[in-house]
Amino acid sequence: MAVTPDHRGIAPARAGLAVLPTPLQEAPRLAEALGVSGPLLLKRDDLTGFAVAGNKARQLEMLVADASASGADVLVTGGTPGSNFCQAAVAAAAWAGMRCVLVYAGSPPPARHPNHAAAVHWGADVRWTYDADRGSVDAAIEATAAELTREGLRPYAVPRGGATPVGSAGFHLAALELGAQLRDRFDGSATVVVGAGSGGTLAGLVSGAVALGRRLRMRGAAVSRPPEETAGRVLKLGRECALLMGTEPPREADVVVYDARGPGHGHPSEEGERAARLALRASGIVLDPVYSAKALGALARILGDRRADPGHTTVFWHTGGLLDAVAGWSHDDR
């Protein structure tokens, strides 16, 4: 079976993939365009400095360190061919001297998504479930890890999106990083808006925010699953992350998730497309249509009345996804 160590009460090590801290950038023109009266800050996790991993570098530096410490020689994970996490996992595994096996939902498409192309270019061993349901990947990851074990290898299995307590610990630390940046420049409190897919990023941020005394209010924009399901996953994973880090576990009230799915996971929304155009013109940042654009598009709904509060600080967490943005441009015939 796959390597799955028990880390309860032991904060995991970091492999040092990401260049940290990532910048915290003021965006006054974007704030004006979005109708936000108080300071709007961009947490630039698109600039983590490792391959084109974006925020995925934070969880992968935890996961790769854990895999190496466990004696693993092959990383096994999966998702869809457009997965940002999958291509980043291949790069991280190569950096650590490990093989990487990716399990993709569905069948090989006629044209490769840029994330898929990057994964193959960096040496991924790609396998397919031949089932379009993304959930088919979950069992296939475990089955693949078991197969590799029978072959004499030492696999380290990671679920879709890297949503494990160890992976989320990278974002617990990211919340502490943001807290320190805000103390230097503001009063230390803010509403933080971030896209939520598999839940690992938001879970770690919530866990870290609780450790900081709840001065950071984490707000998730669900881009994959229904908000209620996403919130449940985040709460469970956030509590497991807090147990790992030895801090107070989140309460149900600490997890607040809004619906930003639009037409569904992987499909751009009109709200997100408008937000992406505003972001480029007002701040020069590129947002991907799957996560960050949808999250920014939902920002006004998430802030509600606080959008008009000139004393309230808002942080938008830019998670990256550059190759997803490139894929979107390649299909834009306007």
Side-chain angles (χ1 to χ4, degrees):
M1 59 184 296
V3 178
T4 53
D6 184 356
H7 291 283
R8 291 180 174 227
I10 306 173
R14 300 167 98 160
L17 300 181
V19 179
L20 302 174
T22 55
L24 186 63
Q25 175 185 6
E26 294 189 59
R29 291 191 61 222
L30 183 58
E32 181 180 3
L34 294 170
V36 177
S37 296
L40 175 62
L41 310 175
L42 307 177
K43 183 58 171 162
R44 297 295 304 273
D45 262 18
D46 56 319
L47 302 178
T48 53
F50 178 74
V52 282
N55 75 316
K56 308 304 183 187
R58 289 190 186 269
Q59 62 200 134
L60 282 164
E61 68 178 7
M62 315 300 285
L63 292 165
V64 164
D66 191 41
S68 297
S70 302
D73 54 14
V74 55
L75 187 70
V76 184
T77 190
T80 65
S83 167
N84 292 302
F85 179 77
C86 284
Q87 58 86 4
V90 179
W95 178 90
M98 291 187 287
R99 288 177 53 196
C100 186
V101 178
L102 295 181
V103 181
Y104 284 146
S107 306
R112 284 180 177 171
H113 187 287
N115 278 324
H116 180 196
V120 171
H121 183 69
W122 292 333
D125 175 356
V126 177
R127 306 183 183 189
W128 301 86
T129 67
Y130 294 95
D131 182 342
D133 183 358
R134 287 180 293 138
S136 66
V137 171
D138 301 334
I141 289 173
E142 293 301 325
T144 299
E147 175 187 333
L148 294 170
T149 299
R150 290 193 295 271
E151 293 174 3
L153 297 170
R154 299 183 300 280
Y156 184 93
V158 179
R160 283 183 289 154
T164 73
V166 171
S168 291
F171 296 105
H172 179 111
L173 297 175
L176 305 188
E177 175 184 303
L178 175 61
Q181 290 175 313
L182 288 170
R183 282 195 302 274
D184 291 342
R185 298 167 59 185
F186 297 90
D187 68 356
S189 64
T191 296
V192 182
V193 177
V194 64
S198 58
T201 297
L202 182 57
L205 291 176
V206 168
S207 175
V210 171
L212 286 172
R214 297 183 171 88
R215 291 183 61 80
L216 300 178
R217 292 168 293 278
M218 298 298 172
R219 300 292 182 261
V223 300
S224 178
R225 298 169 176 84
E228 299 80 7
E229 181 182 347
T230 301
R233 291 172 60 91
V234 167
L235 181 60
K236 180 178 183 296
L237 190 53
R239 287 172 171 169
E240 293 170 347
C241 179
L243 181 65
L244 180 66
M245 302 300 288
T247 57
E248 178 189 347
R251 300 191 293 259
E252 189 172 347
D254 294 316
V255 180
V256 182
V257 180
Y258 293 78
D259 195 347
R261 290 172 295 166
H265 180 66
H267 299 287
S269 67
E270 290 185 12
E271 185 179 62
E273 292 285 272
R274 287 194 299 271
R277 288 192 291 270
L278 281 177
L280 181 65
R281 294 166 184 168
S283 294
I285 60 171
V286 175
L287 301 181
D288 76 285
V290 179
Y291 288 89
S292 291
K294 288 183 175 182
L296 186 65
L299 185 138
R301 290 189 284 114
I302 292 172
L303 293 181
D305 292 341
R306 281 192 163 167
R307 187 171 60 146
D309 180 357
H312 185 71
T313 300
T314 301
V315 176
F316 176 72
W317 205 290
H318 187 347
T319 54
L322 179 61
L323 296 186
D324 250 336
V326 171
W329 300 337
S330 67
H331 291 94
D332 190 349
D333 59 359
R334 289 172 293 179

